[in-house]
Amino acid sequence: MLDIQKIRADFPILSEKVNGKPLVYFDNGATSQKPQVVIDAISKYYQEYNANIHRGVHTLSQLATDAYEVSRGKIQKHLNAKFPHEVIFTSGTTHAINTVASGISSMIKAGDEVLVSAIEHHSNIVPWQMLCERTGAILKVIPMNDNGELMLSEYDKLLSDKTKIVAVNHISNALGTINPIEYLIEKAHQYGAAILIDGAQATPHLKPDVQALDCDFYVFSGHKICGPTGIGILYGKEAWLNKLQPFQGGGEMIASVTFEKTTYAELPHKLEAGTPNIEGGIVLGTAIDYLNEIGFDNIAAYEQELLDYATEKLLEIEGLKIFGTAANKASVISFNVAEIHPYDIGTIIDKLGIAVRTGHHCAQPIMDYFSIPGTIRASFAFYNTKEEIDIFVDALKKAVSMLA
């Protein structure tokens, strides 16, 4: 059982007021808030041992390097990766996906096929389109049904010996659908295809075991799991990471450089060119420690309560329609009310201190499927409360009344 008030006290921003009203923050799908322990860890790095890593023999450099690599080990353990060097620090999910899409280019030829799903974020569509444009490969799309669930029978039909890589999200940012990634991974491997799982929306809610899943790549962002912005993770199986051509060239990623020839460093450095986001890498480990102390089973159970409660309350509003009604979904609700534009509602309830996301959520193909310009998205975290949901629903009713 979570002590919600104790947890809320860990997050300074939750006591802030917006437009004179207590903040109700339901935009967790875009970014999470940060606990004091994470904020303090950022300050500690800059105040006590700020230095570049891996390159210095002086004390501060050694301290920073040790802290950075300790964090890598924490993330390895969190994901149950086999080796620390299977954990690559990136600037975020987008950078991680692009690293893979660029890195496999030499392995893709004209006529090969790349599969994505109909419920992907743009970050898991555009890099694969760019890969196809470079190589002549063909992008194919796993369709969804009206509930926002992937049509697995169609997925089975799309797979073939031409399929080289499948890229799907673990949880949809726009609909909250939790995809059956175990099935998707197993089927991809039957055809010899690699598979990348976009875990940006999943890692705040659950703890992936990459060895049990047997995925080839798993990517996520630190800022969605109570960590800093500008840091993310690319997990890849050692064999696959060794095959990737580096996305970026520069310092740190080399073994030797002459004007005639450059040889690359071993993993993970081969894929980590340049000075990284050092404090981000270190503090991501702090954030993961914080979440593991709370417990992901506890987080999932509580967020399911919030999802069920909010769904029930929202459906009491006449004309409200939820988009994304999968049987298995995370604590995200996307909806519209009658013919009112989502932006108008979002603007009004912001005046009442409530933060939600409005628009297409970088998932325009989903909006096109439903023939809508966008939705209002309320995304809940373990530090939210049912009382906040009540405030949100009351504010929504006021906005609808004003705009109807």
Side-chain angles (χ1 to χ4, degrees), residues 73-131:
K74 289 178 180 179
I75 296 157
Q76 175 207 355
K77 182 179 179 182
H78 180 74
L79 295 175
N80 191 32
K82 193 172 183 180
F83 306 111
H85 57 256
E86 292 181 324
V87 173
I88 308 297
F89 284 111
T90 68
S91 66
T93 301
T94 299
H95 179 192
I97 295 170
N98 276 277
T99 297
V100 178
S102 175
I104 67 168
S105 290
S106 62
M107 303 174 229
I108 305 295
K109 63 183 186 301
D112 287 343
E113 294 176 357
V114 176
L115 267 59
V116 299
S117 89
I119 59 172
E120 298 307 312
H121 188 281
H122 295 166
S123 292
N124 207 24
I125 299 173
V126 179
W128 306 110
Q129 289 177 324
M130 293 167 71
L131 170 65

Side-chain angles (χ1 to χ4, degrees), residues 110-236:
D112 287 343
E113 294 176 357
V114 176
L115 267 59
V116 299
S117 89
I119 59 172
E120 298 307 312
H121 188 281
H122 295 166
S123 292
N124 207 24
I125 299 173
V126 179
W128 306 110
Q129 289 177 324
M130 293 167 71
L131 170 65
C132 290
E133 289 170 1
R134 287 194 302 270
T135 62
I138 300 165
L139 188 74
K140 296 200 167 183
V141 182
I142 309 162
M144 69 172 181
N145 62 24
D146 290 347
N147 295 327
E149 299 166 318
L150 296 186
M151 299 170 68
L152 299 182
S153 60
E154 295 302 311
Y155 173 60
D156 294 348
K157 293 175 187 175
L158 287 171
L159 285 166
S160 74
D161 292 338
K162 293 181 179 180
T163 309
K164 300 306 175 186
I165 189 162
V166 178
V168 293
N169 56 40
H170 197 161
I171 295 178
S172 165
N173 73 303
L175 303 176
T177 304
I178 302 176
N179 283 321
I181 61 169
E182 295 86 352
Y183 180 86
L184 299 173
I185 293 166
E186 181 182 0
K187 294 295 290 188
H189 286 164
Q190 287 177 13
Y191 288 87
I195 185 163
L196 177 145
I197 304 299
D198 173 358
Q201 295 295 325
T203 45
H205 309 292
L206 53 84
K207 189 173 180 175
D209 182 331
V210 294
Q211 289 196 72
L213 290 170
D214 196 30
C215 55
D216 301 295
F217 304 101
Y218 195 99
V219 300
F220 66 94
S221 297
H223 70 95
K224 296 183 191 293
I225 56 169
C226 299
T229 56
I231 193 71
I233 296 297
L234 162 60
Y235 157 79

Side-chain angles (χ1 to χ4, degrees), residues 304-345:
Q304 184 64 49
E305 281 186 40
L306 293 179
L307 176 64
D308 293 344
Y309 184 79
T311 301
E312 180 182 347
K313 291 292 184 180
L314 286 169
L315 288 175
E316 293 175 359
I317 297 175
E318 186 177 354
L320 188 144
K321 180 179 180 179
I322 293 175
F323 297 90
T325 54
N328 193 18
K329 66 177 287 187
S331 53
V332 174
I333 304 177
S334 280
F335 65 93
N336 284 332
V337 184
E339 300 301 317
I340 303 172
H341 197 285
Y343 179 85
D344 295 336
I345 291 177

